[in-house]
Amino acid sequence: MTKPTDSQLATLGAAFETFTRRYKLAEAISAEKPLNEIDKQTLFYVAQHPACGPSDVARFLGTANTTISSATDRMVKRGYLKRERVEDDRRAVALRLSDEGRAYVEVQLQMYRDMYRLMLDRLLPAERDQFIAMIAKIVYNDD
């Protein structure tokens, strides 16, 4: 396999920068201060895995437990997460989204879907499948 050319790298970089800028601008419309990526991903994980523990989140995101502990502190203070003691093990903590957290996740997921739709609408149906296959190949290739 040949190496990417400098021109290809520059074109890809410009496209990603434009995409990132558009996404950040969409997020900036919100009246609230945007969350950092670890905090957002923590909320998304808890939304899909109610009553999970902080160490579950840390394992999934590949971060230190202390990083997730700080993220959950921020999300609890912001009213997005609730910590509950586990009856079987009073030392353990189960994480759940608050109503505000659930609403935040729903808004974020809709914003992502809108962005994905914007990207895919510009492509022909066959190109969409190719694009998705290529992105999946990049993301899930662990070489």
Side-chain angles (χ1 to χ4, degrees):
M1 191 178 314
T2 63
K3 298 282 184 194
T5 67
D6 288 344
S7 175
Q8 290 170 324
L9 295 175
T11 302
L12 180 63
F16 276 140
E17 287 168 13
T18 300
F19 177 79
T20 302
R21 206 171 29 257
R22 283 185 183 168
Y23 173 73
K24 291 297 181 192
L25 289 176
E27 197 176 62
I29 292 170
S30 170
E32 292 187 40
K33 179 182 172 194
L35 298 181
N36 69 48
E37 202 56 35
I38 290 286
D39 293 353
K40 273 195 275 191
Q41 293 303 318
T42 298
L43 292 177
F44 293 156
Y45 185 84
V46 173
Q48 292 179 336
H49 304 90
C52 64
S55 59
D56 298 322
V57 180
R59 239 186 329 275
F60 177 76
L61 296 179
T63 62
N65 286 340
T66 54
T67 301
I68 297 305
S69 179
S70 297
T72 57
D73 286 346
R74 287 189 298 273
M75 295 301 88
V76 167
K77 284 179 187 171
R78 212 156 166 174
Y80 290 161
L81 270 184
K82 297 185 287 185
R83 290 187 183 109
E84 300 172 351
R85 290 285 171 203
V86 177
E87 287 300 320
D88 296 344
D89 182 355
R90 300 295 293 162
R91 295 170 297 165
V93 173
L95 300 174
R96 293 188 188 279
L97 292 179
S98 66
D99 290 340
E100 289 177 38
R102 215 172 347 280
Y104 178 87
V105 167
E106 289 173 14
V107 166
Q108 290 299 305
L109 292 176
Q110 185 58 51
M111 195 178 341
Y112 282 135
R113 283 190 293 273
D114 292 346
M115 187 60 62
Y116 303 153
R117 188 171 289 105
L118 180 66
M119 290 170 58
L120 295 176
D121 279 348
R122 293 183 166 106
L123 301 174
L124 298 171
E127 291 173 327
R128 293 173 190 162
D129 292 337
Q130 290 173 341
F131 176 73
I132 292 166
M134 286 187 275
I135 292 292
K137 182 177 181 178
I138 291 167
V139 171
Y140 298 116
N141 187 349
D142 291 336
D143 286 351

